[in-house]
Amino acid sequence: MRKEWKICLPFYKVAYSVFCVAILSVIRGVFFSYEVGAALEPVMGLLAAVFCADTYVQEITSRRSEVERLYPMKNRMRSIFRRMLIQESYLLLLAVLGYGLFYLFQRPMPLSEMEPEAQGEMELFLAYLGAILVTLVFWGMLAHTLACLGRSLWVGIGCSFLIWIAADSTFGANILGKWNLFSYTFRNVEDSGDWSWLCGKLLCIAVCAGLAAVLPKIIQKRGS
């Protein structure tokens, strides 16, 4: 497992991801606490895409896939998902750290101080945690699948980036509404009882399930 950690989380990945979140928590202004999750979700999604795009592509480019294909597909997929789990777990911890850094540097005001019926801080954090977990898994799986399909790290990152731009925009928010991939970011914060943004997260989960189902076939045809 220690070897897997070294492969999945080289120093440069850890360094630029921590730097990115730390800088964001300083320069991205927030006033209310509900803005913290909205500030972090798109950035963490992009980091997940960049992190996970090369999960298996590095085996292809280094020609280690010629050895990998001697193993049963079940073993190969287990190795891929283990590496994905390591990367996603690290990014989830980083997302929690980033949430705390916003409170440390900017001390956002709880909306409940002005509106008693608004979500409490713990409820707000738990909603963020669930949303960010789905976001990380979705963008990581999407970038990884596209990279394997195109046999290129840059195909995975580039295509994911185009989808990311479309989703994280006013146009995407207006067209997709509650089905936006970043539905948590564009949620109706004025109505604490409105959980329609979960539709976007359910869509992400459904897409992830579909990608996981077709990934073995892609690996067999394009990754060996």
Side-chain angles (χ1 to χ4, degrees):
M1 182 60 73
R2 182 178 298 180
K3 181 180 178 181
E4 296 285 2
W5 277 88
K6 289 182 178 180
I7 293 173
C8 297
L9 298 174
F11 176 76
Y12 75 91
K13 278 189 175 183
V14 175
Y16 75 67
S17 60
V18 172
F19 179 78
C20 177
V21 171
I23 292 298
L24 180 70
S25 66
V26 174
I27 66 174
R28 174 67 158 80
V30 298
F31 187 76
F32 289 110
S33 55
Y34 68 78
E35 298 177 88
V36 175
L40 278 167
E41 187 190 21
V43 175
M44 294 308 303
L46 188 58
L47 280 176
V50 174
F51 258 63
C52 299
D54 67 345
T55 301
Y56 189 79
V57 172
Q58 57 185 331
E59 306 294 336
I60 300 174
T61 55
S62 65
R63 297 189 180 278
R64 290 196 298 267
S65 61
E66 296 179 2
V67 177
E68 287 276 332
R69 65 182 176 181
L70 299 176
Y71 295 96
M73 180 57 68
K74 183 178 180 179
N75 290 7
R76 295 165 68 181
M77 296 306 301
R78 186 182 297 128
S79 175
I80 290 172
F81 287 127
R82 187 189 306 119
R83 293 183 181 183
M84 293 280 288
L85 177 62
I86 291 172
Q87 294 173 102
E88 301 285 9
S89 297
Y90 164 75
L91 289 172
L92 182 61
L93 291 175
L94 185 62
V96 173
L97 173 64
Y99 198 91
L101 289 177
F102 269 94
Y103 277 83
L104 176 65
F105 294 130
Q106 304 202 36
R107 302 182 185 278
M109 179 186 296
L111 187 60
S112 56
E113 290 187 5
M114 299 182 63
E115 300 180 14
E117 296 182 357
Q119 287 180 307
E121 293 304 290
M122 181 54 69
E123 185 181 0
L124 194 66
F125 174 72
L126 291 177
Y128 162 77
L129 201 60
I132 206 70
L133 176 59
V134 175
T135 295
L136 292 173
V137 173
F138 171 79
W139 289 99
M141 179 63 74
L142 177 67
H144 172 251
T145 305
L146 291 173
C148 290
L149 188 62
R151 295 176 61 88
S152 169
L153 165 68
W154 300 111
V155 169
I157 294 177
C159 292
S160 297
F161 184 60
L162 292 177
I163 298 172
W164 181 88
I165 290 176
D168 187 34
S169 66
T170 303
F171 176 79
N174 292 336
I175 296 298
L176 299 175
K178 64 182 181 180
W179 297 101
N180 194 305
L181 300 174
F182 291 119
S183 57
Y184 176 79
T185 296
F186 295 105
R187 72 195 189 282
N188 181 13
V189 296
E190 296 180 357
D191 183 3
S192 59
D194 182 11
W195 292 89
S196 61
W197 59 268
L198 289 174
C199 293
K201 296 307 160 190
L202 290 175
L203 175 61
C204 289
I205 293 172
V207 173
C208 282
L211 294 176
V214 302
L215 187 59
K217 296 180 180 180
I218 294 175
I219 294 294
Q220 188 172 20
K221 292 183 178 181
R222 302 290 295 164
S224 57

